[in-house]
Amino acid sequence: MLKIGTLFFLLLCSVYGWAQRERVLFAPEDRIIFDRLIQGAEGVESVAIGEAIVATGQELINTPYVAGTLEAHTPEILIVNLRGLDCTTFVENVLVVGGMLREGQTDWDTYLRQLERLRYRDGLLAGYPSRLHYFTDWIRNNAEKGLVKDITQSLGGVPHHKRIDFMGTHPDLYPALSTEVDLGAIQKVEEELSDEVSYVLAKEEVSKVEKQIENGDIIALATSIEGLDVTHTGFAFRKENGRLHLLHASTRGSVEISKAPLAEYLQGVKGNTGIIVVRPLGINH
């Protein structure tokens, strides 16, 4: 006879779709939303990758903003949550699904593999420190994979040197950093990032280069907050009048397109110093 604890564990696996072998956690509704995204944005195989991305992103408009959805499990597993998104999980999921549709791929297993590839260092889930927590680290590693290209410098961005150490100096905010091994691994990443030169386009310059930014380019908001590199992310979205807006999971409540054009939107973001612009290259590079 099964023990009560074992029975509860098996029930949890069946309800939430979690399998230890695959290290994946998701709810049945996530599969439903995934299928809806595939159906809603199908037919984009012949368009540019950026157009496939904004088509996919628009399918998620009004999805609730939920912070910290990836911090819900220890040890680290691949968490899928399409029911509630923060700015980073919105970007990751849209990049994966949009990229899949662009390549004519529609299956769940491919989605899981590509999400892991995008979210973790060198594409491999190997514990909490392997997740690309800092967005400049996310950019750097995914550029090495050939999935994205940082184009900020070509737009007039200037070199930016900054000490990155927020997680390492605030481990109490991250329960997963309770071990010295994981904390040390994060601090090593922070040391490497602090030695890197990033390029940031000042927010006052954004309106001058709007026409060079394409639909679906990733927009990362650089910050003056000590120890942090980026505080928010989203996608460039060009409206019919030609102005560039931000398609993003807004902390105001849900996925939306900013009412104000990007250049004006940035003026209202506290601590914002400018943007990093990253061009998606597709999931099969």
Side-chain angles (χ1 to χ4, degrees), residues 41-53 55 98-105:
E42 63 182 357
V44 300
E45 295 92 339
S46 60
V47 303
I49 180 62
E51 299 298 333
I53 285 168
M100 286 176 58
L101 287 166
R102 179 69 171 73
E103 301 295 334
Q105 300 170 340

Side-chain angles (χ1 to χ4, degrees), residues 11 30 45 64 69 158 174 177 179 229 232 243 257-258 275:
L11 178 62
D30 294 313
E45 295 92 339
T69 58
V158 297
Y174 305 91
L177 293 182
T179 69
D229 52 355
H232 194 55
R243 292 305 307 275
I257 299 168
S258 63
I275 62 173

Side-chain angles (χ1 to χ4, degrees), residues 71 76 88 119 121 127-138 167 174 186 229:
E71 308 303 321
E76 182 81 5
T88 301
R119 183 175 291 169
R121 181 164 292 101
Y128 185 78
S130 70
R131 196 195 316 162
L132 298 165
H133 297 277
Y134 288 102
F135 206 72
T136 49
D137 193 22
W138 186 100
M167 293 180 70
Y174 305 91
I186 289 294
D229 52 355

Side-chain angles (χ1 to χ4, degrees), residues 10-168:
L10 293 175
L11 178 62
L12 186 69
C13 290
S14 66
V15 171
Y16 287 97
W18 181 72
Q20 179 66 45
R21 181 180 62 82
E22 296 178 350
R23 299 176 297 172
V24 178
L25 179 66
F26 61 91
E29 190 178 353
D30 294 313
R31 289 293 303 265
I32 295 172
I33 296 172
F34 171 78
D35 290 339
R36 175 173 63 80
L37 289 176
I38 293 296
Q39 294 167 7
E42 63 182 357
V44 300
E45 295 92 339
S46 60
V47 303
I49 180 62
E51 299 298 333
I53 285 168
V54 296
T56 304
Q58 287 179 89
E59 291 293 321
L60 288 167
I61 285 177
N62 294 325
T63 300
Y65 177 92
V66 179
T69 58
L70 301 186
E71 308 303 321
H73 196 281
T74 301
E76 182 81 5
I77 59 175
L78 181 67
I79 293 178
V80 176
N81 186 346
L82 294 169
R83 294 152 285 129
L85 300 163
D86 62 27
C87 63
T88 301
T89 58
F90 172 67
V91 166
E92 289 180 338
N93 280 286
V94 170
L95 279 175
V96 169
V97 177
M100 286 176 58
L101 287 166
R102 179 69 171 73
E103 301 295 334
Q105 300 170 340
T106 60
D107 63 289
W108 176 255
D109 288 340
T110 296
Y111 162 72
L112 295 178
R113 289 195 301 271
Q114 295 293 355
L115 186 61
E116 178 176 350
R117 182 186 180 200
L118 193 69
R119 183 175 291 169
Y120 291 94
R121 181 164 292 101
D122 302 326
L124 299 174
L125 193 166
Y128 185 78
S130 70
R131 196 195 316 162
L132 298 165
H133 297 277
Y134 288 102
F135 206 72
T136 49
D137 193 22
W138 186 100
I139 294 169
R140 178 180 65 169
N141 197 255
N142 280 303
E144 291 173 355
K145 298 169 194 167
L147 302 178
V148 299
K149 180 180 180 181
D150 188 340
I151 64 169
T152 313
Q153 185 179 7
S154 67
L155 295 173
V158 297
H160 185 71
H161 299 266
K162 187 175 183 180
R163 178 71 185 173
I164 307 298
D165 61 4
F166 189 87
M167 293 180 70

